[in-house]
Amino acid sequence: MALMITDECINCDVCEPECPNEAIFLGPEIYQIDPHKCTECVGHFDEPQCVQVCPVACIPLNPEHLESNETLWQKYRRLTAEAGKS
């Protein structure tokens, strides 16, 4: 499952640099998470780093992008392979 940032976001800027997949970006009003890049930190950390640092707890699972742990691992492997080609 990818994560999402809700409208409770206060744009504090602490989540974006914590994302190992560079999935977090500043949208028109608040930070957003690209579900195609979010692995919930699978392959990097035991817990999603953005959730750990968020002071307002506005980063839940995205119900529109439900993924199994194996799918998250596959995404991690794809993203790291693409990064290696750059």
Side-chain angles (χ1 to χ4, degrees):
M1 290 174 241
L3 299 169
M4 62 185 278
I5 297 176
T6 67
D7 59 5
E8 286 96 23
C9 176
I10 59 172
N11 289 330
C12 67
D13 303 320
V14 299
C15 61
E16 185 206 14
E18 296 299 319
C19 181
N21 296 322
E22 299 179 352
I24 300 175
F25 62 96
L26 185 57
E29 296 180 25
I30 61 172
Y31 278 90
Q32 298 177 350
I33 298 176
D34 180 344
H36 303 291
K37 291 183 176 181
C38 178
T39 62
E40 295 182 48
C41 289
V42 165
H44 297 283
F45 301 100
D46 292 334
E47 298 288 328
Q49 297 302 287
C50 60
V51 173
Q52 297 297 313
V53 299
C54 181
V56 294
C58 68
I59 309 176
L61 293 173
N62 186 337
E64 294 180 13
H65 295 279
L66 302 177
E67 299 169 295
S68 68
N69 194 50
E70 180 54 37
T71 302
L72 292 171
W73 272 105
Q74 290 172 2
K75 189 188 304 185
Y76 163 76
R77 288 190 285 275
R78 177 182 55 81
L79 290 168
T80 53
E82 289 173 2
K85 293 178 182 177
S86 308

